[in-house]
Amino acid sequence: MAFLKELFHQNTSTLVSLFLLAVLPLVGDSALAWGLHENAEWLRNPSTLQMLLYFVVVAFTMTFALTHTTVVVLVTAFYFGWAGFAGMLLTYVLAALFGHMLATSLDKGKLIGLLEKFPKAHAIMHELRADSWRLVLLTRLSPVLPFALITFILAVMGVPRRQFLTASVVGMLPRTLFFYWLGTKAQDVLLLIQDPDTGTAGKVLVVVLVAVSLFGLYFLFTRALKRALERGVKHEEKNFS
């Protein structure tokens, strides 16, 4: 209980940000659907400047969790086709980068500093950071885990930015390719957002990605816990001797 009180007291801005990042996409997706309905014409035949403006806007909305990344992928594919795929990948990188920078500036190492008072928790966090590339890769594989929320959590954990960005792109590529392809085949964007029909093969792929992500994360956490306990035992034996 004392830990929770201190956690909230010293990390209020961080915890409030995490809550907002979890809730805001529900509102943002609805606003996006309405905006597309009202302004769909210019997206059908956009100029280069309009495409650039679009990607800047969606990079902003993904950074601040105003829209789900899957929804953005579907919409981008529907309007721009495969010509917009490179722009979508660049948008991912920008959203991940800005999200990492934002989380780091808000938290300023306070969460890590607090965990230093709890050696076991800090040791587990240290072990997870040692496996940061795989940790980021596995969290990005799952279409279920929120993009901005995971970005924020990984940033406050102290995952190095370069590893974070490269693993984010590699991890999101399989599901991005699938949902992008799905978006290019759709006939109506509003129906696509509300109920994307992934078909049997698509549902299997989503289940596989979620399963790989969850089992991989379970493996990383249990290994980090085991290593932390082993280090603790060795440290105690050294002090005792």
Side-chain angles (χ1 to χ4, degrees):
M1 184 62 71
F3 170 74
L4 293 176
K5 287 182 178 179
E6 190 171 358
L7 176 66
F8 187 80
H9 178 71
Q10 295 189 15
N11 300 273
T12 303
S13 61
T14 300
L15 295 175
V16 170
S17 299
L18 288 172
F19 174 77
L20 291 175
L21 291 174
V23 173
L24 283 177
L26 301 176
V27 179
D29 288 344
S30 299
L32 178 63
W34 177 83
L36 291 173
H37 180 71
E38 295 296 320
N39 304 282
E41 203 56 44
W42 70 268
L43 280 172
R44 296 186 186 280
N45 296 290
S47 65
T48 302
L49 183 60
Q50 286 173 327
M51 285 188 70
L52 181 61
L53 176 62
Y54 168 83
F55 285 121
V56 169
V57 170
V58 295
F60 176 85
T61 61
M62 289 197 300
T63 299
F64 292 94
L66 299 175
T67 51
H68 284 99
T69 54
T70 301
V71 172
V72 172
V73 170
L74 290 170
V75 170
T76 304
F78 179 83
Y79 284 111
F80 301 151
W82 289 106
F85 186 73
M88 188 69 254
L89 287 183
L90 179 59
T91 302
Y92 268 140
V93 175
L94 291 176
L97 175 61
F98 293 151
H100 191 283
M101 293 170 62
L102 178 65
T104 304
S105 64
L106 285 174
D107 184 69
K108 297 178 181 178
K110 289 184 290 185
L111 183 61
I112 298 298
L114 176 61
L115 288 177
E116 289 178 354
K117 300 178 183 179
F118 302 89
K120 290 183 179 179
H122 186 263
I124 294 171
M125 188 77 74
H126 175 76
E127 294 297 334
L128 286 173
R129 282 204 306 271
D131 252 333
S132 57
W133 205 90
R134 274 181 285 192
L135 176 64
V136 177
L137 177 70
L138 289 168
T139 56
R140 294 309 195 197
L141 271 178
S142 172
V144 177
L145 297 176
F147 175 83
L149 181 62
I150 295 301
T151 295
F152 199 94
I153 292 172
L154 293 171
V156 299
M157 282 179 59
V159 172
R161 189 171 297 168
R162 181 177 295 181
Q163 293 182 17
F164 169 77
L165 291 175
T166 54
S168 288
V169 174
V170 174
M172 295 194 78
L173 195 56
R175 63 185 175 107
T176 301
L177 281 168
F178 170 70
F179 283 108
Y180 205 93
W181 170 82
L182 192 67
T184 62
K185 300 297 181 182
Q187 301 298 318
D188 185 283
V189 69
L190 293 180
L191 292 177
L192 179 65
I193 293 174
Q194 293 168 1
D195 183 29
D197 183 11
T198 58
T200 303
K203 289 180 175 64
V204 170
L205 175 63
V206 171
V207 169
V208 168
L209 289 176
V210 172
V212 170
S213 174
L214 291 179
F215 281 111
L217 288 172
Y218 174 77
F219 172 76
L220 282 186
F221 276 104
T222 53
R223 189 169 69 169
L225 177 60
K226 182 179 179 181
R227 285 180 177 178
L229 291 175
E230 288 176 350
R231 286 178 183 271
V233 170
K234 289 180 181 179
H235 182 70
E236 289 178 2
E237 290 177 347
K238 184 178 180 180
N239 290 340
F240 182 76
S241 60

